Amino acid sequence: MSVANDTRTCGISDEAPYVKAPKPNPWAPISSEDVKAVWAFVHAPERGLNLTNPANASITDNYVFWLDTLHTNKTSVLPYIDGAATAPPKYARVVIFEGGKDVPVSQEYMVGPLPVSDKTTLEKYDYAFNGGSGGTVPFNARYYDGKRNAGYEPLLKSLMTEVADITKSLFNGTYYGSSDNRTDIVAAGTGPNSFDGSTSWNTIMFRYPGMASYMVPLDFYIMLDTTGTDITKYSLRGFVTNTRFFPTVAALREAFDAGELKNPFPQTRDNSWAVLDHKPEMGVRDLEDRLAPQSLEIGGKRYKLDREQRYVEYMGWSFYMSFTRVLGLQFYDIRFKGERIIYELSLQEAAAQYAGNQPKAANTVYHDTYFSIGTYSATLLEGYDCPFGATMLNISFPTGSGTTETHPQAICIFEADSGHPLARHRTGSGSNPNGFSHLGSVKGSALHVRTVATVGNYDYLFDYAFNVDGSMEIEVRASGYLQSSPYYPDQSNFGPRVHDSTQGSYHDHVLTFKADFDILSTANSLQKTTLTVVNQTQPWFPELGTFPQMTLQSETLPTESQLNWPANGQGMYTVINPNAPNKWGTPRGYRLVPGKSPIHLSIADSPFTLHSSHFLKSHLAVTRQHDEEVYANSWQNVNLPSKPQHDFAKFFDGETVDNEDVVVWFNLGMHHFTRSEDVPVTLFSEAVSSIVFAPQNFFDRAPEGDLRNRRVVVSDDKTGDVTYEDYGVQLPLCKVHVEEPAGRIEPWVKA
């Protein structure tokens, strides 16, 4: 097709050209056939696990909670991906809740090699967790699934029925149980639910139901002791309302009968004010009836794709993708012009910690791997979440019932204009009629891979951009509903009032990532360069005597460390290969450039994150790569802040990271200073954080020289006549045709 002469369409919706992956993807998720086979394998009587089908199980049974793909060890992959070795075998990761044991626990197993055969074994998956208990988690720290919730539901129903007249009087709402038609409020729990697994509790708040339930909280909390599997021993810890604690029903009723309980700011059942839709009462903006500007791949896609192997090539970049239910989208073997930059880039945790003077906000810490954040990546709306014509990919993951769930259109890939030139310069002005003699401008563009995970109230947008200059940007944005609190006039220090009876609770979002750099090889170092001020004399300025001057001081970090970004940006961290200098004798490397909102967790010693969240407490960290240190966190760690299953702090044991295989762990996020503009939902434009990995002496010069998407314009100094060079890249003459995206949405599939 001649782009210049195409008068039909611009190729916007054309398929990406096919490229065959160099090798089959060794990080690919296990197949749906393997999922079914593993399910049958662990349920076979000879395994001795005594499993009950989850559909019929209770907390005192043994049953499979979920399956996932087990991470493939790097030391097993490199001989295959870089050499002639065979691909390493695949394994499944299986979580079994063993409530039927004398000492009930949650236990992780590994099943493989796959496909299932007479060589397949079942082993405890212990080596990836350093807390001392391997893949075992005490029952009291176990995930609160539907079975555990059903365990405390009779007690919750009984207590709330006993105080139904009080809740009816205070906020015109009652809870008689989740399945009772008289119930007209929603119960919602929080976490963590334990400190060390020896006991367990649940703090429950209530909201009015509806699409925007998170925005209509009620000033009423009940705290339950839910220790153990004997539900007859569950008990009341207390009620909280009016910022007062009542340890018994009698104490609550005494205060109510005395007229001491008030509701001065009644919550509204109508939550339409918090629904994300058009609000005509806000007025009309001139010309807003026109379609907003679009980023379109005019002329066809410039990236190639192997859909089956999830392999991509673009403008010198190449990489593989994978996906797990716990971590979501992952990237492997990221190369630029054939040279590996990063072995693995993956999300490790998406955490949030709240603040407030009431038990829900004060108690709330979320680790979204606990909820299997990957399973919440789903439908992207073409033209709005991603540009028209973007390549849409499905995601698939094992469920807890031996099936595989598929979410169509959950990942999009597209190339977009950078919004600025990659490079430009104008020279010569003076007497030239056009004000210049030479003007050069290079087009800036990037390939984006994007997914959005909606976990409860929040929508996290993850965007990975591969720029044509060899740099990468990782960006996270947050939207969705606040986990709001009832309005308390004396608690503005925890967040502002955002509606009649609703307060925005302040909180931190911190998202931890793993970047296993392999700059040209596995022998790398982390170099710290600091911009310092020194006093010096220079003989050509004798009149100044001693005066201050900026100077650079560089050092290679000797051992594993947790680090923070230098103040005022007066320093940089660069992953270098000390054995591979560029043409000018400088070690080739990639600089870590903090972007928007480079934060870490505000509280270092909160009892709710004490030892379970060390990875959240610095901007970044560097460790030596070990196959057993594959994760920053354990997905059930949130319920073990005092005695974690996996302790990131133990990674730092004095090992050298100089000229070694190094891993960088970094945090993105935002201190969410809640505001009225968070209604109806938080805006992506403000809640954003990013980091850039940029070449630092990796090349001998700027890598833009081979890009043809540029213009060089020359203006004759005397006549002003203009000539230009287009380097063979013609401007297209074509029609734009897009289709309504809502009509192209595909349903989820379980098979």
Side-chain angles (χ1 to χ4, degrees):
M1 175 181 81
S2 172
V3 175
N5 297 322
D6 180 27
T7 57
R8 293 168 294 167
T9 62
C10 295
I12 293 168
S13 298
D14 289 356
E15 285 288 319
Y18 171 75
V19 62
K20 182 177 175 61
K23 293 186 178 182
N25 188 340
W27 306 279
I30 60 175
S31 68
S32 58
E33 292 77 17
D34 282 337
V35 171
K36 292 176 181 177
V38 170
W39 177 266
F41 180 83
V42 297
H43 282 81
E46 57 266 31
R47 301 286 93 77
L49 296 173
N50 190 28
L51 296 179
T52 299
N53 189 302
N56 305 317
S58 70
I59 59 173
T60 56
D61 290 315
N62 302 337
Y63 60 94
V64 173
F65 181 49
W66 53 247
L67 289 79
D68 205 0
T69 303
L70 189 71
H71 186 276
T72 307
N73 290 336
K74 181 179 182 180
T75 54
S76 300
V77 173
L78 287 182
Y80 163 73
I81 205 71
D82 290 340
T86 58
K90 304 294 293 184
Y91 280 75
R93 181 181 183 184
V94 184
V95 175
I96 298 180
F97 288 164
E98 299 178 338
K101 288 190 171 182
D102 292 339
V103 179
V105 296
S106 165
Q107 178 65 54
E108 295 209 32
Y109 293 92
M110 49 191 287
V111 176
L114 302 177
V116 170
S117 69
D118 56 2
K119 296 180 181 179
T120 299
T121 61
L122 172 78
E123 299 178 61
K124 288 186 176 180
Y125 181 41
D126 290 338
Y127 70 83
F129 310 105
N130 64 12
S133 60
T136 305
V137 170
F139 173 86
N140 290 316
R142 189 191 100 177
Y143 181 86
Y144 262 85
D145 64 341
K147 279 67 171 176
R148 286 202 74 182
N149 292 336
Y152 70 72
E153 173 69 9
L155 175 62
L156 177 63
K157 174 181 177 179
S158 172
L159 290 167
M160 289 301 293
T161 298
E162 194 171 351
V163 299
D165 60 318
I166 299 176
T167 61
K168 181 73 173 178
S169 175
L170 288 177
F171 44 81
N172 192 31
T174 52
Y175 186 88
Y176 292 101
S178 58
S179 59
D180 193 302
N181 291 333
R182 296 172 297 169
T183 294
D184 56 3
I185 55 177
V186 177
T190 187
N193 305 111
S194 181
F195 286 123
D196 59 8
S198 62
T199 61
S200 182
W201 69 85
N202 210 319
T203 300
I204 300 164
M205 74 173 300
F206 296 90
R207 308 183 183 109
Y208 286 139
M211 190 179 299
S213 179
Y214 285 98
M215 301 298 285
V216 284
L218 303 171
D219 180 24
F220 198 83
Y221 312 86
I222 185 169
M223 304 176 72
L224 304 178
D225 185 324
T226 53
T227 300
T229 59
D230 185 349
I231 65 174
T232 65
K233 295 182 179 178
Y234 291 176
S235 62
L236 173 69
R237 295 182 67 174
F239 298 93
V240 177
T241 186
N242 284 225
T243 324
R244 292 175 60 185
F245 178 71
F246 303 96
T248 63
V249 171
L252 177 68
R253 184 164 298 283
E254 181 180 357
F256 174 71
D257 291 342
E260 298 172 2
L261 303 184
K262 308 293 183 183
N263 186 13
F265 301 96
Q267 188 59 268
T268 171
R269 278 192 177 272
D270 176 15
N271 56 39
S272 61
W273 55 271
V275 173
L276 184 61
D277 60 10
H278 181 233
K279 299 287 192 270
E281 65 271 17
M282 293 182 68
V284 177
R285 301 194 195 191
D286 193 26
L287 303 182
E288 229 285 303
D289 58 334
R290 299 180 178 180
L291 184 66
Q294 306 292 316
S295 179
L296 302 175
E297 296 167 326
I298 294 176
K301 293 173 173 55
R302 303 199 306 162
Y303 55 91
K304 300 177 181 180
L305 172 66
D306 185 332
R307 280 182 177 267
E308 182 180 357
Q309 299 301 329
R310 297 295 170 102
Y311 173 79
V312 177
E313 290 183 355
Y314 165 75
M315 296 295 143
W317 288 104
S318 65
F319 54 86
Y320 289 86
M321 295 179 289
S322 187
F323 195 90
T324 66
R325 61 175 295 131
V326 176
L327 300 180
L329 180 62
Q330 302 162 300
F331 297 84
Y332 290 95
D333 196 26
I334 301 173
R335 301 179 185 232
F336 190 73
K337 294 189 174 181
E339 296 180 308
R340 183 179 297 131
I341 310 299
I342 296 174
Y343 171 80
E344 177 189 352
L345 175 63
S346 60
L347 176 71
Q348 294 291 299
E349 190 54 79
Q353 181 167 18
Y354 285 72
N357 188 30
Q358 37 92 350
K360 174 71 171 179
N363 185 165
T364 295
V365 173
Y366 290 129
H367 288 178
D368 285 347
T369 59
Y370 181 75
F371 305 106
S372 290
I373 187 172
T375 66
Y376 293 93
S377 290
T379 307
L380 297 171
L381 191 62
E382 185 185 5
Y384 295 85
D385 293 326
C386 311
F388 285 107
T391 296
M392 296 292 189
L393 299 179
N394 301 346
I395 62 154
S396 296
F397 54 88
T399 68
S401 58
T403 61
T404 297
E405 185 168 315
T406 298
H407 294 178
Q409 305 161 316
I411 297 172
C412 67
I413 304 176
F414 59 92
E415 186 183 10
D417 187 289
S418 298
H420 57 79
L422 175 61
R424 65 101 64 193
H425 191 62
R426 186 194 73 207
T427 58
S429 53
S431 60
N432 191 295
N434 293 314
F436 69 91
S437 58
H438 185 281
L439 174 62
S441 185
V442 184
K443 187 76 172 174
S445 59
L447 184 74
H448 295 256
V449 182
R450 177 177 295 175
T451 187
V452 177
T454 303
V455 188
N457 53 317
Y458 266 105
D459 295 62
Y460 286 114
L461 185 153
F462 299 95
D463 189 277
Y464 303 84
F466 299 83
N467 298 305
V468 291
D469 66 348
S471 66
M472 281 185 63
E473 183 171 13
I474 300 96
E475 184 179 77
V476 177
R477 296 178 184 267
S479 186
Y481 291 118
L482 296 174
Q483 179 177 285
S484 59
S485 297
Y487 172 57
Y488 303 96
D490 60 346
Q491 292 190 30
S492 60
N493 55 318
F494 293 114
R497 185 182 190 180
V498 297
H499 203 256
D500 293 344
S501 307
T502 304
Q503 179 174 329
S505 295
Y506 172 79
H507 54 284
D508 283 348
H509 293 279
V510 186
L511 298 100
T512 303
F513 291 79
K514 175 186 181 181
D516 182 349
F517 280 90
D518 281 359
I519 306 292
L520 308 174
S521 75
T522 57
N524 289 179
S525 302
L526 184 64
Q527 181 185 73
K528 180 181 180 181
T529 301
T530 305
L531 180 63
T532 61
V533 177
V534 298
N535 291 317
Q536 63 175 216
T537 60
Q538 296 182 1
W540 36 87
F541 297 124
E543 69 277 15
L544 294 180
T546 300
F547 63 97
Q549 183 72 284
M550 293 180 291
T551 184
L552 298 177
Q553 296 181 352
S554 295
E555 62 176 324
T556 299
L557 271 65
T559 57
E560 298 172 313
S561 307
Q562 285 190 266
L563 309 161
N564 287 321
W565 300 116
N568 197 38
Q570 288 184 220
M572 66 177 180
Y573 292 102
T574 307
V575 181
I576 63 171
N577 187 320
N579 312 299
N582 66 8
K583 181 178 179 180
W584 317 114
T586 305
R588 300 173 69 187
Y590 262 69
R591 177 185 173 188
L592 315 177
V593 185
K596 304 167 186 173
S597 188
I599 75 158
H600 56 71
L601 201 65
S602 297
I603 307 175
D605 54 359
S606 165
F608 301 109
T609 61
L610 191 60
H611 298 302
S612 60
S613 304
H614 282 294
F615 51 91
L616 303 175
K617 298 177 182 180
S618 63
H619 289 139
L620 67 160
V622 59
T623 64
R624 191 165 162 180
Q625 196 279 333
H626 293 288
D627 285 345
E628 65 271 19
E629 292 181 348
V630 60
Y631 308 119
N633 193 29
S634 155
W635 68 275
Q636 290 191 102
N637 237 18
V638 70
N639 286 335
L640 290 163
S642 297
K643 190 179 180 181
Q645 179 190 20
H646 192 52
D647 188 351
F648 187 66
K650 291 184 178 181
F651 282 27
F652 307 95
D653 52 6
E655 282 191 300
T656 178
V657 288
D658 186 13
N659 206 17
E660 298 287 353
D661 191 354
V662 300
V663 178
V664 172
W665 314 80
F666 63 92
N667 283 320
L668 302 181
M670 59 282 303
H671 300 301
H672 196 156
F673 300 99
T674 52
R675 54 180 186 159
S676 55
E677 290 83 2
D678 285 317
V679 176
V681 297
T682 297
L683 302 178
F684 276 146
S685 56
E686 189 261 347
V688 55
S689 182
S690 61
I691 192 172
V692 174
F693 300 152
Q696 186 72 17
N697 302 303
F698 187 83
F699 305 106
D700 298 331
R701 54 152 290 163
E704 48 67 49
D706 58 352
L707 296 174
R708 297 167 60 192
N709 273 265
R710 65 173 75 214
R711 285 293 185 270
V712 171
V713 184
V714 177
S715 174
D716 187 274
D717 284 338
K718 294 182 179 179
T719 66
D721 291 343
V722 171
T723 59
Y724 70 92
E725 176 59 64
D726 64 11
Y727 300 95
V729 179
Q730 303 174 51
L731 299 181
L733 301 173
C734 56
K735 298 177 181 179
V736 173
H737 174 74
V738 296
E739 298 180 14
E740 171 54 50
R744 303 172 69 183
I745 292 175
E746 301 176 26
W748 294 8
V749 178
K750 288 186 179 181

